Amino acid sequence: MSADPALRFEHVTIAFPGAEGPLKVVNDVSFAVGSGQCLVIVGESGSGKSMACQALLGIVPAPGAVSGQGIFWEGRDLLKSSARDWMKVRGAEIAMVFQDPAAALNPLMPVGRQIVDVVRAHRSVTRAEAERRAIEVLNQVGFPEPERRMRAYPIELSGGLRQRVAIALALACGPKLIVADEATTNLDVSIQAQIIGLLRSLKEELGISIVFVTHDLGLAPEIGDEVLVMYAGHAVERGPVREVLDRPSHPYTIGLLNSAPTLESSRAHPLKPIPGQVPALDEIGAGAPFRSRCPVVVSGRCDSAKPDWTACGGGHFVACHRFAQDGIGGVQ
Amino acid sequence: MTAILEGRNIVKTFTTRRGGQKHEVRAVGDVTVAADRGEIVGLVGESGCGKTTFSRILIGIETASSGTVLHDGKPVATKADWKALRRDVQYVFQDPYTSLCPTMRIGEALAEPLLVHGIGDKSERAERVREALSLVGLQGFIADRLPSQLSGGQRQRVSLARALMIRPRVLICDEIVSGLDVSVQAQVLTLLTELQASLGLSLIFISHDLRVIRYLCDRVVVMYRGEIVEQGPVERVFGAPESDYTRGLLAAIPDHSRRGEPRLGLRPAGHEGARLA
Amino acid sequence: MTTVTAIAMQAPRPAPHRAWRAALNPPIVIGAAILGLAILSAVLAPVIAPYGPTTIDLSAVRKPPSFAHFFGTDGVGRDVFSRVLYGGRVSLTVAGIGMIGSLAFGTAMGLLGAFGNRFVEVAVSRLIDIQLAFPYVLLAIAVTSAVRPSIPVLILLMVLAGWAGAARVVRGIALQERGKDYVKAAAVLGVPKMRVALKHVLPTIIPSLIVLAAMQMAAMIVFEATLSFLGMGVQPPTPSWGGIMLDGKNYITSAWWMTALPGVALVLTSLALVLIGDGLQRRFNAKGVR
């Protein structure tokens, strides 16, 4: 992580009103992304990863409330800035790519014109200049024959091409950060590989920072520099991708890795699923979020206090009482 | 040994009209797949490769344009043949949210196949429902619930239990773990292997996820645009793929167990390849 | 479209709590209040009504509304208010039976049209088309010229006129449901088609049937009034809203109350039912059921 990260998400909590007090879908989560870096947020459904992204863009749906020390973008606290200022940042400096490109594109408008509109909404340029910009970004995302095919409607394009257009749309105003929420989840593996490759080259060649949200740990080493593992609204482990994948230190991360089949796995070496289910948010209370399914609970601590971050070396941190007490040997 | 279930030379074409002209789209072109006793056959390919259509033809939800479905070596032709086939072969759908009747309690939904086949009396059926629930690792009280009160993983277990109620010999599973979280997926995969071992079940397992196929299957059939491009034992197909398509597919799989540099690359992929400014 | 709107267009995640949505909406409350009043006054007619519905008082003929006669009196001095109350009993009962009958027959036909074999499917959908294209008043004239009009005949006419609308709605939904995986799953498990229709699909249609029932009831009240007004429905001296209006038809310029006030009762009641139907529809939509 660079000394002065472009984005700092500091102790942010997102709560929705519940029957018995607020339900924290994101609970005191912090992370930072350096410029030209990629942070991968990994979590299963209900982990709060998508909600964190939405907070980043100021689009948490009502009646959700975002609180915390701040969301700092290049030194400015977005949480404290007005809706107008935030809107200027959003789209121009921070852009988002969604899981479903069909939902992000207007089905009744040619894709080229949608990009032109975005450019003209944020910059005072002529239509011809905006069109040149549209062709430029479509070229950047590997959209074939943009001059001709930009007149196509979304429905005429394949899923992979649509996601490319969605990324071009995000790129149109030259953002410094792209938030990709499950952007490759519904795509075929070969298309997914192309989109990942595209995002990686945007990062490496244009220096764009990326927050990549996924449920698939396997994608982390393909694109990420850092990874943040989330569980039931809590951040449980973070660090450089290879560090975390090679030395997973939180029982949940270990469980997740043991659950995911790889190209080397077979029935001869059975998967070890995590028993049980994700607890309801109001069942977590004051203790460690994973305690109800954890094989190495520290009795007396896990059910009463949230674990603090413990350093595991190499910029790798884990929030686990067992690790804090017994080190890596305790969790494995 | 004759296979319990075989689709032989299955072809499925759809006709579409575009601009007044008829177009024939070949969804499945001359595909033959057989399931032997106790074997897990994987059917893998990207969207639109015809794997789901083929599997639906095997159970008669869709009809083939040409080709034969064989049940214990005999062609399935009449209504009675299909009925007999469905006593032996069952199907689990991809989406656990739409494949259970929303207004029927789980217990009733599980008992229904027994009821319509006239198996057992009321108390025997209730007993079989309890057995089936525990077989798929669910507690008895689930029987009183509605599908909307269950999680995706629980629903998929119920779908499995329901397909197993009449004790089929072959189970066709269409992408049944794709919509599930990784940890839930692992639970269902583990359950499938246990069921396969304890019941001697044959599985035809359809998935787009090569990691899941590699883990679960004995034999794999790789499909592309309605045709089989490669088939064989998983170790062989994954270890030494013969077709370029399989090799490309394998290279595109994100895999956290791989060491060193990321391998997902921008391979030349025709006009879709990225050109970076 | 800008990125900003693109963001706003994202499908909202299901909020953890949306119990507030279950609150009753104003149309249902207002509709239920009016309908409740109509039913209550019909049930309590013998208690509330100041006069008998058929009591003739030739000393008070065609009197305008007053404290003695809230709705005035008719051509033979019968109290219109009392007649409207008693007429409500007949009108609501007849319409209710007609609604249930047409809905039951329509639902059965709709399910048959979606789950029958190919021949039955085509036959049912043609029958629906023919029925919907056939003017029901013409049908009523044809029938009542053959048999003497009476309440059972009226109800039969209601079923004949109303089933097709219900059948079309039910068939449409059932066809949609038939394409869903749970129906296919049942077929694969060997569940007979008609059992699928009754045990799986019918319960999912019930919310729509409830909405349909309210709308159908409103239509049936108007239908009864129309036919009675044309002399083909409820026969005098039994009071019904349409019949009362018929009695006043010849005096509409001089004694407006004889037709207008029963008309108000009719309009308010059917409006209440439409409001209820509309409100329920909105509630079911909000809850994600049809």
Side-chain angles (χ1 to χ4, degrees), chain B residues 50-65:
Chain B
K51 56 189 192 298
T52 292
T53 309
F54 176 74
S55 73
R56 290 188 167 206
I57 287 169
L58 287 182
I59 189 86
I61 306 174
E62 295 198 35
T63 45
S65 308

Side-chain angles (χ1 to χ4, degrees), chain C residues 222-266:
Chain C
V222 174
F223 186 76
E224 181 278 324
T226 311
L227 287 198
S228 297
F229 186 78
L230 295 174
M232 295 181 285
V234 180
Q235 296 301 303
T238 312
S240 79
W241 288 343
I244 304 170
M245 288 165 78
L246 174 63
D247 292 340
K249 180 185 67 159
N250 292 332
Y251 310 101
I252 192 146
T253 46
S254 57
W256 55 270
W257 55 89
M258 285 167 61
T259 39
L261 295 179
V264 169
L266 175 79

Side-chain angles (χ1 to χ4, degrees), chain B residues 3-275:
Chain B
I4 305 173
L5 178 68
E6 180 179 348
R8 190 178 287 172
N9 305 114
I10 299 287
V11 176
K12 175 79 179 177
T13 51
F14 295 99
T15 24
T16 56
R17 269 170 208 281
R18 203 172 171 185
Q21 277 180 313
K22 268 192 188 173
H23 287 263
E24 277 222 331
V25 182
R26 217 175 153 123
V28 180
D30 198 12
V31 171
T32 300
V33 172
D36 284 329
R37 185 172 162 71
E39 181 187 43
I40 306 185
V41 184
L43 221 54
V44 73
E46 297 185 290
S47 52
C49 75
K51 56 189 192 298
T52 292
T53 309
F54 176 74
S55 73
R56 290 188 167 206
I57 287 169
L58 287 182
I59 189 86
I61 306 174
E62 295 198 35
T63 45
S65 308
S66 72
T68 331
V69 176
L70 299 165
H71 176 210
D72 282 328
K74 290 187 280 292
V76 181
T78 64
K79 244 184 172 172
D81 289 346
W82 279 113
K83 212 171 162 188
L85 176 125
R86 287 171 178 179
R87 286 292 307 259
D88 253 6
V89 183
Q90 274 301 311
Y91 196 96
V92 185
F93 289 78
Q94 169 171 10
D95 186 352
Y97 291 89
T98 59
S99 57
L100 289 171
C101 179
T103 53
M104 197 178 262
R105 297 200 181 274
I106 302 300
E108 203 187 336
L110 289 177
E112 190 176 40
L114 301 177
L115 188 72
V116 298
H117 285 108
I119 301 171
D121 59 23
K122 202 164 181 205
S123 65
E124 280 169 34
R125 286 199 293 268
E127 182 54 37
R128 287 271 292 266
V129 167
R130 262 194 303 279
E131 275 173 31
L133 283 173
S134 79
L135 188 67
V136 296
L138 292 173
Q139 283 166 289
F141 67 83
I142 295 282
D144 299 324
R145 299 287 163 92
L146 285 171
S148 57
Q149 295 166 308
L150 305 183
S151 70
Q154 286 173 326
R155 289 183 204 207
Q156 205 55 293
R157 283 164 192 264
V158 170
S159 296
L160 262 174
R162 190 157 186 246
L164 293 173
M165 286 310 292
I166 55 172
R167 302 190 177 148
R169 290 146 76 203
V170 183
L171 196 61
I172 304 175
C173 303
D174 182 18
E175 298 271 15
I176 65 167
V177 295
S178 326
L180 305 177
D181 271 325
V182 182
S183 63
V184 183
Q185 171 181 300
Q187 292 174 355
V188 174
L189 287 177
T190 308
L191 172 65
L192 273 179
T193 56
E194 285 166 7
L195 290 175
Q196 190 264 341
S198 64
L199 306 177
L201 210 57
S202 310
L203 290 178
I204 296 181
F205 190 88
I206 296 140
S207 179
H208 68 280
D209 191 335
L210 284 128
R211 295 172 292 189
V212 172
I213 294 277
R214 173 70 186 89
Y215 173 73
L216 192 67
C217 300
D218 303 307
R219 211 150 57 74
V220 61
V221 176
V222 184
M223 287 181 70
Y224 178 63
R225 295 200 175 166
E227 317 255 338
I228 295 179
V229 292
E230 181 159 8
Q231 60 179 317
V234 266
E235 291 82 9
R236 209 275 298 145
V237 173
F238 280 67
E242 280 166 5
S243 87
D244 287 342
Y245 180 72
T246 314
R247 264 195 292 278
L249 218 49
L250 283 169
I253 300 299
D255 189 343
H256 66 79
S257 67
R258 283 173 176 159
R259 301 293 157 129
E261 281 304 292
R263 289 201 204 168
L264 274 190
L266 292 177
R267 290 171 320 289
H271 63 276
E272 290 217 346
R275 281 175 268 156

